[in-house]
Amino acid sequence: NAGVTQTPKFQVLKTGQSMTLQCAQDMNHNSMYWYRQDPGMGLRLIYYSASEGTTDKGEVPNGYNVSRLNKREFSLRLESAAPSQTSVYFCASRVGPLSYNEQFFGPGTRLTVL
Amino acid sequence: AQSVAQPEDQVNVAEGNPLTVKCTYSVSGNPYLFWYVQYPNRGLQFLLKYITGDNLVKGSYGFEAEFNKSQTSFHLKKPSALVSDSALYFCAVRGLNDYKLSFGAGTTVTVRA
């Protein structure tokens, strides 16, 4: 099992450009999550999908959109990138929205917006 | 609203000494509590969790954590630290009926040889 995979690993954008971060899991998990990690702030939830067909906002959704393409895939889109979106982005998955099981994380995408 | 506090940005210990990383939480009702570790340029790896039952939880790599309901704490411990334990550690909490996991700001652990 590959677990949770993310592409790309690194990306540099200019202000105003758009891009989509891809995430896929092969563990048959129902719930998927997008976080951003900034120094001293821990992980902050951007959007999540409790189950296939649903998406909801997290703590910091502004400037982002998501698509739960199918059970395996959950993408994060930046429509018009801003320097404040420079961060490391992590995708995660869990068996189910109320499961007591842990979340599994991908390796991250390091994004720089100039 | 749920939240996690990790009061120490950094913890420095000598190899072979005990390691403690502190975590306190706030949640409505009973919590699910987790510890994750992050090595440089890597994703988060799960260490251990508290669901219910025994307050002392044992996890990966010799780590353990003690759940204290009255003090709303879930401190991570290792009896004898290794240089390879140097990493960033995150505590996280979820309410039983909450979809979302809340993370602390993280504690950087440095173990010197």
Side-chain angles (χ1 to χ4, degrees), chain B residues 1-112:
Chain B
Q2 56 193 30
S3 64
V4 174
Q6 293 182 242
E8 299 158 317
D9 292 336
Q10 293 211 341
V11 170
N12 298 306
V13 298
E15 190 172 36
N17 281 1
L19 169 63
T20 299
V21 186
K22 295 179 181 176
C23 169
T24 58
Y25 67 90
S26 173
V27 71
S28 178
N30 292 324
Y32 292 147
L33 291 154
F34 303 84
W35 276 101
Y36 286 86
V37 61
Q38 185 181 32
Y39 298 100
N41 301 314
R42 303 288 295 275
L44 276 69
Q45 295 179 29
F46 168 74
L47 277 179
L48 51 78
K49 64 187 175 191
Y50 172 80
I51 305 301
T52 187
D54 195 348
N55 290 342
L56 185 63
V57 178
K58 294 189 183 295
S60 306
Y61 312 120
F63 283 94
E64 56 190 30
E66 186 163 11
F67 171 63
N68 187 317
K69 188 171 184 178
S70 63
Q71 297 186 4
T72 60
S73 67
F74 189 56
H75 301 330
L76 182 70
K77 300 181 181 183
K78 186 170 185 181
S80 179
L82 301 172
V83 172
S84 57
D85 294 328
S86 298
L88 181 58
Y89 291 80
F90 289 101
C91 182
V93 69
R94 237 189 74 212
L96 268 59
N97 295 314
D98 204 315
Y99 289 177
K100 296 173 283 187
L101 192 60
S102 295
F103 285 84
T107 299
T108 299
V109 170
T110 302
V111 182
R112 60 185 184 277

Side-chain angles (χ1 to χ4, degrees), chain A residues 2-97:
Chain A
V4 180
T5 56
Q6 293 182 237
T7 55
K9 286 186 167 50
F10 302 93
Q11 185 71 48
V12 178
L13 293 178
K14 294 181 180 178
T15 296
Q17 287 184 318
S18 62
M19 79 162 295
T20 300
L21 281 65
Q22 307 286 355
C23 174
Q25 52 89 11
D26 62 1
M27 296 173 283
N28 201 34
H29 286 173
N30 291 295
S31 302
M32 298 185 73
Y33 306 82
W34 276 106
Y35 294 89
R36 59 177 289 171
Q37 182 181 18
D38 302 291
M41 302 189 75
L43 274 75
R44 292 182 292 168
L45 183 64
I46 305 171
Y47 270 93
Y48 67 100
S49 172
S51 59
E52 187 179 358
T54 69
T55 60
D56 284 286
K57 295 178 181 179
E59 300 172 64
V60 289
N62 291 345
Y64 305 96
N65 284 301
V66 291
S67 295
R68 184 75 183 266
L69 304 169
N70 49 55
K71 191 172 186 178
R72 288 187 64 247
E73 298 172 288
F74 188 39
S75 63
L76 179 72
R77 182 160 178 84
L78 286 69
E79 291 290 351
S80 179
S84 61
Q85 294 177 306
T86 293
S87 188
V88 181
Y89 291 85
F90 289 101
C91 179
S93 71
R94 189 164 79 219
V95 169

